[in-house]
């Protein structure tokens, strides 16, 4: 694949990867210090930083929390993971985290960004004891995910599954019926399954987030909707929240690195404007 320097990208590839507009996965990659982003994504990211200076801390804290939450699920004995809205591979990826704990774990990734598909091989580097798969699918059509060959080959719905939806649902406006989508995804899961979920919020800096969302939409027509703690907590309906409940990411089972960043003032409620949580299906 061509290096992500726009002037060197083949025009056909440019069209295939939809590089004429920013994509949340590539903007997120930019905030994490990745190299799989393009000028249009970097422009949108910088506009977002101007509106909300905590954007990079939000992305970093979200990723670090995902590692802890996925590790927690594996430590609780879950061996099957469905990660929707995977984004561009960034080490350690979810399967690397959970297979460090349970080498035989099965992980299915799903995303609909063409550039993620081009890097999917990085998501398929499973340990010999386990398995991984990548599915090109759209979150707004849960049935196609749940009924896919990749999911049904690797996941046994008669056993607990960890469903990972990290930083995805703030891309779904209310008219896409996000709560219904979540119910469709959680419904088939066996008792003991876990929902790993994070969502951007404007609770701590409403004016900045209002500017950020408007700017994101104007940059590329990207849908974005931040939600309050009450609205995010609704996504966990039908599950039992693991302590400490719905909190900002650096407050959920923090590790030493997280505590250091808090001590340096890098992670604060405003800078990490996310609500995160893990719910267990009874």
């Amino acid at each position: 694949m061509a290096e992500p320097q726009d002037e060197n990208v083949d025009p056909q590839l440019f069209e295939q990867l939809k590089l004429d507009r920013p994509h949340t996965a590539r903007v997120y990659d930019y905030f994490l210090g990745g190299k799989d982003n393009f000028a249009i994504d970097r422009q949108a990211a910088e506009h977002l930083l101007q509106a909300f200076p905590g954007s990079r801390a939000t992305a970093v804290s979200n990723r670090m929390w995902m590692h802890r939450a996925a590790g927690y699920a594996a430590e609780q004995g879950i061996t099957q993971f469905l990660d929707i809205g995977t984004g561009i591979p960034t080490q350690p990826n979810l399967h690397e985290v959970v297979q460090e704990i349970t080498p035989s774990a099965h992980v299915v990734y799903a995303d609909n960004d063409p550039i993620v598909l081009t890097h999917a091989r990085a998501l398929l580097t499973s340990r010999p004891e386990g398995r991984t798969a990548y599915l090109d699918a759209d979150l707004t059509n849960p049935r196609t995910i749940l009924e896919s060959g990749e999911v049904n080959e690797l996941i046994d719905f008669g056993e607990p599954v960890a469903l990972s939806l990290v930083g995805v649902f703030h891309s779904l406006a209310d008219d896409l019926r996000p709560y219904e989508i979540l119910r469709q995804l959680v419904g088939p899961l066996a008792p003991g399954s876990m929902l790993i979920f994070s969502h951007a919020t404007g609770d701590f800096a409403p004016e900045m987030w209002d500017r950020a969302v408007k700017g994101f939409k104007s940059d590329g027509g990207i849908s974005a909707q931040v939600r309050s703690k009450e609205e995010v907590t609704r996504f966990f309906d039908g599950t039992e929240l693991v302590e400490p409940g719905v909190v900002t990411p650096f407050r959920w089972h923090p590790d030493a690195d997280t505590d250091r960043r808090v001590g340096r003032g890098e992670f604060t409620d405003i800078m990490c404007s996310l609500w995160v949580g893990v719910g267990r299906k009874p």
Side-chain angles (χ1 to χ4, degrees):
M1 178 183 164
E3 288 294 318
Q5 302 297 325
D6 294 45
E7 62 272 17
N8 297 328
V9 177
D10 180 85
Q12 186 176 355
L13 184 64
F14 192 92
E15 175 63 27
Q16 178 187 350
L17 298 182
K18 302 178 181 178
L19 302 182
D20 58 332
R21 54 191 179 276
H23 192 284
T24 51
R26 300 193 301 264
V27 172
Y28 190 60
D29 176 74
Y30 176 75
F31 285 144
L32 293 177
K35 298 180 180 179
D36 297 301
N37 50 77
F38 295 80
I40 193 73
D41 308 304
R42 296 188 287 274
Q43 176 182 299
E46 289 299 331
H47 289 169
L48 196 56
L49 281 167
Q50 290 171 16
F52 177 63
S55 297
R56 183 170 280 111
T58 297
V60 172
S61 64
N62 191 45
R63 186 76 182 179
M64 291 174 63
W65 167 77
M66 182 275 284
H67 292 156
R68 300 196 304 278
Y72 174 86
E75 289 167 354
Q76 300 305 303
I78 292 184
T79 61
Q80 307 181 106
F81 293 76
L82 175 56
D83 181 53
I84 303 176
T86 300
I88 295 167
T90 304
Q91 290 187 321
N93 293 293
L94 186 148
H95 73 279
E96 293 164 320
V97 172
V98 302
Q99 288 183 348
E100 184 71 25
I101 299 166
T102 307
S104 61
H106 287 190
V107 179
V108 179
Y109 295 104
D111 205 297
N112 71 333
D113 180 9
I115 203 169
V116 178
L117 179 60
T118 68
H119 291 277
R121 63 185 178 276
L123 302 172
L124 302 177
T125 55
S126 172
R127 290 198 177 199
E129 305 94 324
R131 293 185 66 186
T132 64
Y134 178 81
L135 171 65
D136 182 16
D138 192 332
L139 171 63
T140 61
N141 194 342
R143 185 173 177 179
T144 61
I145 297 174
L146 296 173
E147 295 181 357
S148 70
E150 292 85 351
V151 167
N152 285 279
E153 183 179 350
L154 265 66
I155 291 181
D156 176 3
F157 284 104
E159 298 294 329
V161 177
L163 172 63
S164 175
L165 295 163
V166 176
V168 185
F169 268 66
H170 44 244
S171 296
L172 302 182
D174 285 340
D175 60 355
L176 292 175
R177 303 175 68 183
Y179 295 101
E180 176 59 28
I181 289 173
L182 191 64
R183 282 194 294 270
Q184 290 180 48
L185 289 168
V186 173
L189 304 184
S193 293
M194 290 187 179
L195 170 63
I196 299 172
F197 187 90
S198 69
H199 195 297
T201 183
D203 284 357
F204 304 108
E207 293 182 0
M208 282 193 289
W209 270 101
D210 184 56
R211 290 196 299 270
V213 169
K214 288 178 180 176
F216 212 37
K217 289 179 179 178
S218 64
D219 268 326
I222 297 176
S223 174
Q225 182 171 338
V226 294
R227 293 182 170 92
S228 68
K229 183 175 184 178
E230 181 181 7
E231 290 172 316
V232 173
T233 303
R234 277 185 57 201
F235 285 110
F236 291 96
D237 285 355
T239 72
E240 299 169 346
L241 280 164
V242 172
E243 290 294 332
V246 176
V247 294
T248 44
F250 59 87
R251 289 192 169 89
W252 199 95
H253 297 236
D255 56 12
D257 190 13
T258 300
D259 285 338
R260 280 193 294 270
R261 291 173 185 257
V262 171
R264 294 196 297 261
E266 296 175 21
F267 286 173
T268 65
D269 286 334
I270 290 179
M271 297 292 280
C272 305
S273 286
L274 292 159
W275 291 121
V276 310
V278 174
R280 182 183 288 105
K281 189 173 180 181

